[in-house]
Amino acid sequence: MNSTLEKRRKVLSSSLSLSYTKPLHIVRGSGQYLYDKNGVKYLDGINNIQHVGHAHPRISTAAYKQLQILNTNTRYLDQHVIDYAERLIKKLPRKLSVCFFTNSGSESNDLALRLARTYTQSSDIIVLEGAYHGHTESLINVSPYKYKGPGGFTPPKYVHEIPMPDIRKGFYNGSGAEKRYLKILSTEIDHITSQGKKPIFMFESFMGCGGQLPLPRQFLKRGHKLIKKSYGISIADEVQTGFGRLGNHFWAFDFFDIKPDIITLGKSMGNGFPLSAVITTKEIASRFDNGMEYFNSFGGNPVSSVVGNTVLKIIADEGLQENAKDVGQYLKRQLLELKLKNPIFGDVRGEGLFLGIEIVDLEQDKTPHPILANYIVNKMRDKSILLSVDGPKKNIIKIKPPLPFNRENADFLIENFYKVLLSL
Ligand code: PMP
């Protein structure tokens, strides 16, 4: 047996999974490519953390330089964290103007819950079936993706889960489905307010682990209005979708013309460096300032801030949002053509470089086919293309590569999809 695998099994928890039937030993990355220990080059179609590309030299240089000068906590005055906060805020609606820096998406969402609970004086939270918001206890409790899955449990009473608003294959389908999902949300809001409480609504505008699913436009737009009308708080989880990945807009919530009260960021924010944030309004932030200090040993330190700033500069300098839009549209068009020729692809969805392909069983009335999805992803891995599978039924192939992913990469991906599908 592979000795690295054996050693890993000895020292790391077995609850930590490995990708692919034949696990990969990756030793190097560059741009949108990864290299294994035998020098085999893989096209990375899945790593949305290394947003501006693996081992980007501007990031390693910036971090190295700052590490040689100073890395301390945010209890000292420091220009880097201020520059970074200013640069981030410029990208957001005016009301989102106060930053809290953290070190992972989970930490951000946990803090967002605290902010919302302090503001509303209520814990009642509405979440979407299939949603994942992080791995801490507070977040597993609000992540149906986890508490309904293997090893799951009944969530606390303050959690109000509503069906995933999938208008194609959800609890309600077809015409009128969107309105029915909205009605469920509205009923849940009424239920919470009838007890004299204010609702917290936590959502991803485009669900990631939920299967690369954009929320229906009116569901989110009107639902958000209802939350505001009931003096509730909305938390937009942008951990997977932020920073230009979706092409047309920098943030996923912008597709819906809404202004959330709190947004949470992570993953791509530091291009792999542990860096994340919560950004909220002055009003919510000042209510949180109730005497209990917010201190974070690492969050917003000078090295993190320099890295975060560099990521933002690279996105702008290299036109990565525009690239996500262009290549995303190009790739989606080809995937849709492939879908026409091969109905195993039940649906192709998403925006920019955040796409999902639903794999269905043609012999079983187009029901989800998780085994086939997993098979295809492993076959693609053998063709040196890295993808993964997710969604409530584990039948959605996810495509969310580093943003330098180009048209040539898209062609290569499609060519190999054709080959794999032909071989079935
Ligand atoms: N929110 C969403 C939408 C996520 O997808 C994830 C991670 N997959 C998290 C939060 C948690 O982020 P982290 O793993 O950095 O704690």
Side-chain angles (χ1 to χ4, degrees), residues 104-107 109 132-135 204 209 237 239-240 267:
S104 71
S106 298
E107 211 188 317
N109 279 334
Y132 177 63
H133 295 294
H135 65 79
E204 283 179 284
C209 295
D237 181 336
V239 168
Q240 290 241 12
K267 286 199 192 282

Side-chain angles (χ1 to χ4, degrees), residues 9 27 32 108 146 194 201 212 218 221 223 226 230-231 246 271 278 303 307 324 343 419 423:
R9 283 191 176 140
V27 294
Q32 61 274 46
S108 284
K146 289 288 187 189
S194 69
F201 180 36
Q212 310 290 92
Q218 293 307 324
K221 213 169 143 61
L226 294 174
S230 64
Y231 302 101
L246 301 185
N271 212 53
V278 181
V303 176
V307 169
K419 284 185 190 158
S423 74

Side-chain angles (χ1 to χ4, degrees), residues 119-387:
Y119 187 82
T120 58
Q121 292 294 300
S122 155
S123 292
D124 286 62
I125 179 163
I126 301 172
V127 292
L128 301 175
E129 177 195 6
Y132 177 63
H133 295 294
H135 65 79
T136 64
E137 180 164 353
S138 68
L139 296 166
I140 294 291
N141 282 343
V142 299
S143 296
Y145 178 79
K146 289 288 187 189
Y147 68 63
K148 273 190 155 168
F153 53 86
T154 308
K157 287 217 167 64
Y158 59 77
V159 178
H160 305 258
E161 178 190 322
I162 60 172
M164 181 191 280
D166 178 352
I167 54 175
R168 280 186 63 257
K169 293 239 170 121
F171 190 71
Y172 297 122
N173 303 307
S175 74
E178 184 166 359
K179 274 197 180 142
R180 294 172 113 169
Y181 288 119
L182 183 62
K183 178 79 186 127
I184 297 179
L185 174 58
S186 147
T187 306
E188 218 48 72
I189 294 172
D190 290 346
H191 175 62
I192 295 170
T193 52
S194 69
Q195 296 168 8
K197 298 174 188 166
K198 293 171 185 160
I200 300 165
F201 180 36
M202 191 176 216
F203 60 92
E204 283 179 284
S205 307
F206 283 64
M207 298 183 78
C209 295
Q212 310 290 92
L213 184 79
L215 297 187
R217 188 171 167 77
Q218 293 307 324
F219 167 81
L220 184 53
K221 213 169 143 61
R222 294 200 187 153
H224 192 262
K225 262 195 192 141
L226 294 174
I227 291 286
K228 293 320 303 163
K229 242 173 104 180
S230 64
Y231 302 101
I233 289 285
S234 59
I235 304 172
D237 181 336
E238 289 275 348
V239 168
Q240 290 241 12
T241 48
F243 297 92
R245 169 164 300 281
L246 301 185
N248 265 322
H249 295 284
F250 203 74
W251 310 109
F253 69 78
D254 272 335
F255 280 81
F256 299 83
D257 229 355
I258 57 170
K259 294 185 174 47
D261 301 300
I262 300 175
I263 66 159
T264 58
L265 312 175
K267 286 199 192 282
S268 46
M269 189 168 174
N271 212 53
F273 197 86
L275 165 59
S276 57
V278 181
I279 307 182
T280 189
T281 65
K282 280 209 164 57
E283 201 188 349
I284 293 171
S286 58
R287 193 80 65 88
F288 190 67
D289 185 13
N290 59 5
M292 183 191 285
E293 189 193 4
Y294 169 70
F295 175 68
N296 192 318
S297 299
F298 305 127
N301 70 40
V303 176
S304 296
S305 302
V306 163
V307 169
N309 245 324
T310 309
V311 170
L312 285 178
K313 285 183 204 160
I314 295 170
I315 295 170
D317 294 350
E318 297 186 7
L320 293 179
Q321 182 182 346
E322 295 73 22
N323 187 64
K325 180 177 169 179
D326 172 65
V327 179
Q329 279 173 356
Y330 178 75
L331 177 58
K332 190 172 176 186
R333 238 185 352 257
Q334 296 196 65
L335 289 169
L336 285 166
E337 273 171 33
L338 195 50
K339 172 180 174 290
L340 282 180
K341 290 183 194 141
N342 204 325
I344 278 171
F345 279 18
D347 187 30
V348 171
R349 60 214 194 192
E351 284 285 336
L353 288 172
F354 186 84
L355 300 171
I357 307 163
E358 181 201 31
I359 303 298
V360 294
D361 191 339
L362 296 181
E363 284 164 20
Q364 300 284 336
D365 202 20
K366 296 199 170 183
T367 50
H369 203 330
I371 296 172
L372 184 56
N374 191 45
Y375 178 82
I376 294 173
V377 161
N378 275 288
K379 280 284 163 204
M380 291 295 272
R381 172 243 183 267
D382 292 343
K383 296 191 175 301
S384 62
I385 296 170
L386 307 182
L387 301 169

